[in-house]
Amino acid sequence: MSLQAHDLHTEFPEYRDAIHALKVSDNHFSRLFDRYHEVNRHVVRIEVEAEVATDPELEDLKKERLKLKDELFGLLQRFSPA
């Protein structure tokens, strides 16, 4: 199984500067960013079989990761409109 990188800098390379700016200036963004990466690390550990989880547990984590990514993307778009 080939794993894809899901860190925000890989997902949104065009927002690299905005990600940094928001991490240091916006507590809400920073908390979401940290939670996103925490969930992502958990998913990766399960996918590489370093941790055990049921299929529904893994799916729930992936859904949470997607929800967080969507919210973070919205904040990034508002911070740096095109």
Side-chain angles (χ1 to χ4, degrees):
M1 170 193 271
S2 176
L3 295 178
Q4 288 183 303
H6 286 280
D7 65 276
L8 286 184
H9 292 99
T10 302
E11 293 285 330
F12 308 122
E14 68 277 18
Y15 289 107
R16 181 172 297 275
D17 294 337
I19 290 169
H20 175 72
L22 283 168
K23 275 178 32 183
V24 298
S25 68
D26 184 313
N27 288 334
H28 178 65
F29 183 91
S30 183
R31 282 191 301 275
L32 290 174
F33 179 91
D34 290 345
R35 179 64 184 156
Y36 174 85
H37 283 88
E38 177 184 324
V39 171
N40 186 53
R41 283 189 296 275
H42 195 177
V43 168
V44 169
R45 286 192 309 266
I46 293 167
E47 289 178 337
V48 300
E49 299 177 355
E51 243 179 75
V52 178
T54 64
D55 286 342
E57 289 170 332
L58 179 57
E59 288 305 310
D60 286 346
L61 285 168
K62 287 181 175 183
K63 287 176 185 176
E64 182 181 0
R65 179 175 66 184
L66 182 59
K67 180 180 176 274
L68 289 163
K69 185 168 86 171
D70 287 346
E71 189 170 351
L72 288 160
F73 182 63
L75 292 170
L76 287 167
Q77 285 182 310
R78 284 190 289 283
F79 179 79
S80 50

